[in-house]
Amino acid sequence: MTVENLVIIGSGPAGMAAAIYAGRANLSPVVLTGAMVGGQPAITNEIENFPGFPDGITGAELVERVHRQAERFGARMVYDEAIEVNLRVRPFWIKTYGAEYYAKAVIVASGASPRKLGVPGEVEFTGHGVSYCGTCDGFFFRGKEVVVVGGGDSALEEALFLTRYATRVRIIHRRDQLRASYILQERARRNEKIEFIWNSVVTEIHGPQEVTAVTLRNVVTGEISRLPTDGVFIFIGHTPNSEIFRGQLDMDENGYIITDKRTRTNIPGVFAAGEVADPIFRQNITSAGEGARAAIEATRWLAELEASMPAVVEDKAIQQ
Ligand code: NAP
């Protein structure tokens, strides 16, 4: 049985910053990338607010650079996904589709996934006109009309990106005020291809084979209407990818892992960083910062462990 010093679950900004720091601390960390290699930046077109890139950088390039940087310091990338864990035993046990890992310390940086609307037609037409990623799917809507659901930064940023391809982008928002930052609001309002449909929610998505229309309900007047469209892009926030840790790591009511200021979870030796533990800031830069902190903490914790006891013990008291 090989026992790794540190397994990092996730390869977004938090996981990769942790990998760089842990690599430089000589821990040879294993990074389980998850299904979405690079995390959310990998499906972001342009990142304008990451310090050090005054002209912006594409998400794909940032991911490629950060992965190269982590590997330079000895991080080992495993293109697989953690599907089960046991954090009640030492060493910690992590199962992926292809292997099992044992680790003295773990950093959970599994990020978050797009939240679903939960309306009829959403599941059936995903990949047939329903999408959660403009950067990935925008090209398929060249010369077509699309709707974007949501009023936050993601919705506006993606709506702006979609105007490269679509002839018209209608943003459907459940209120009459946007949550998005001022700079994105201004850009969207100035863009001739973008229209806003205020105080409205999508209640159904229609086919039959591909998306052809949505049903809207005006939340103020109660009026129901049908809007023809070729695509529905949904950006209504995220839910943390924390399901496999349920019952082991403490979480809040929305599934965000609870940590202290030092990224420590309720289990000594297990740290959490990035969006899986952050319902508030959720930025590339804040996630990267937390990843660095988690790696520094893990390094300290491993040094203390080394000094105090053997690394591999069966802890009967915490096994039940
Ligand atoms: P968000 O800020 O939570 O916004 C979600 C939007 O979806 C809100 O406008 C919300 O409406 C709406 N919404 C939520 N549930 C809904 C439902 N069931 N039906 C209809 N509408 C619903 O999420 P986000 O835009 O994905 O952003 C996440 C985080 O990433 C934020 O912190 C954001 O600042 C950050 N981010 C930053 C950038 C950037 O800096 N360039 C880009 C992308 C994301 P209400 O407004 O009424 O709540």
Side-chain angles (χ1 to χ4, degrees), residues 32-281:
L32 304 177
T33 62
M36 197 152 93
V37 180
Q40 291 185 53
I43 56 163
T44 304
N45 178 49
E46 181 104 25
I47 295 169
E48 290 185 328
N49 52 9
F50 204 88
F53 300 98
D55 303 318
I57 182 167
T58 66
E61 191 181 350
L62 183 64
V63 168
E64 190 275 324
R65 284 183 182 220
V66 169
H67 284 213
R68 201 155 29 93
Q69 192 174 359
E71 283 178 321
R72 185 182 145 209
F73 297 117
R76 289 166 291 150
M77 308 296 290
V78 178
Y79 297 91
D80 202 347
E81 187 177 344
I83 53 171
E84 198 182 339
V85 296
N86 189 350
L87 305 175
R88 297 190 177 105
V89 292
R90 306 282 169 83
F92 301 121
W93 176 80
I94 302 127
K95 187 176 189 304
T96 66
Y97 287 108
E100 292 177 39
Y101 295 85
Y102 297 89
K104 297 178 200 168
V106 170
I107 294 177
V108 178
S110 46
S113 296
R115 189 180 293 151
K116 308 281 187 288
L117 265 181
V119 299
E122 183 179 21
V123 173
E124 296 91 306
F125 297 114
T126 294
H128 299 278
V130 171
S131 171
Y132 302 88
C133 178
T135 312
C136 321
D137 299 329
F139 185 79
F140 300 115
F141 294 87
R142 190 177 285 271
K144 297 186 173 177
E145 295 193 2
V146 300
V147 299
V148 163
V149 184
D153 282 332
S154 299
L156 266 64
E157 203 167 71
E158 298 277 340
L160 284 159
F161 179 76
L162 286 166
T163 61
R164 295 181 186 201
Y165 305 105
T167 51
R168 184 143 59 157
V169 179
R170 293 185 174 98
I171 298 177
I172 299 165
H173 185 35
R174 63 184 178 183
R175 295 186 292 139
D176 63 357
Q177 301 223 320
L178 294 166
R179 180 178 294 276
S181 56
Y182 178 73
I183 188 169
L184 287 171
Q185 290 196 28
E186 281 303 295
R187 277 187 209 162
R189 287 183 209 278
R190 277 202 311 268
N191 193 305
E192 287 177 354
K193 286 187 178 177
I194 292 181
E195 287 171 25
F196 290 93
I197 300 178
W198 301 110
N199 298 317
S200 297
V201 291
V202 171
T203 55
E204 188 166 355
I205 301 168
H206 305 278
Q209 263 83 45
E210 304 284 323
V211 167
T212 55
V214 289
T215 297
L216 298 181
R217 181 170 56 84
N218 185 303
V219 296
V220 177
T221 65
E223 189 189 328
I224 306 286
S225 59
R226 193 176 166 111
L227 177 71
T229 186
D230 301 303
V232 182
F233 285 82
I234 299 165
F235 306 107
I236 58 166
H238 295 88
T239 45
N241 299 324
S242 59
E243 209 42 50
I244 62 169
F245 309 103
R246 195 167 285 281
Q248 301 185 54
L249 296 182
D250 290 347
M251 296 174 191
D252 71 9
E253 67 280 8
N254 296 315
Y256 287 94
I257 294 172
I258 295 170
T259 62
D260 67 7
K261 281 185 178 167
R262 293 171 58 180
T263 72
R264 296 180 294 194
T265 69
N266 54 304
I267 297 183
V270 180
F271 306 83
E275 206 171 325
V276 73
D278 170 21
I280 299 170
F281 298 108

Side-chain angles (χ1 to χ4, degrees), residues 1-28:
M1 175 171 97
T2 305
V3 180
E4 307 291 348
N5 289 317
L6 174 65
V7 168
I8 298 168
I9 300 175
S11 59
M16 294 315 296
I20 292 167
Y21 273 72
R24 295 189 79 242
N26 228 8
L27 294 180
S28 305

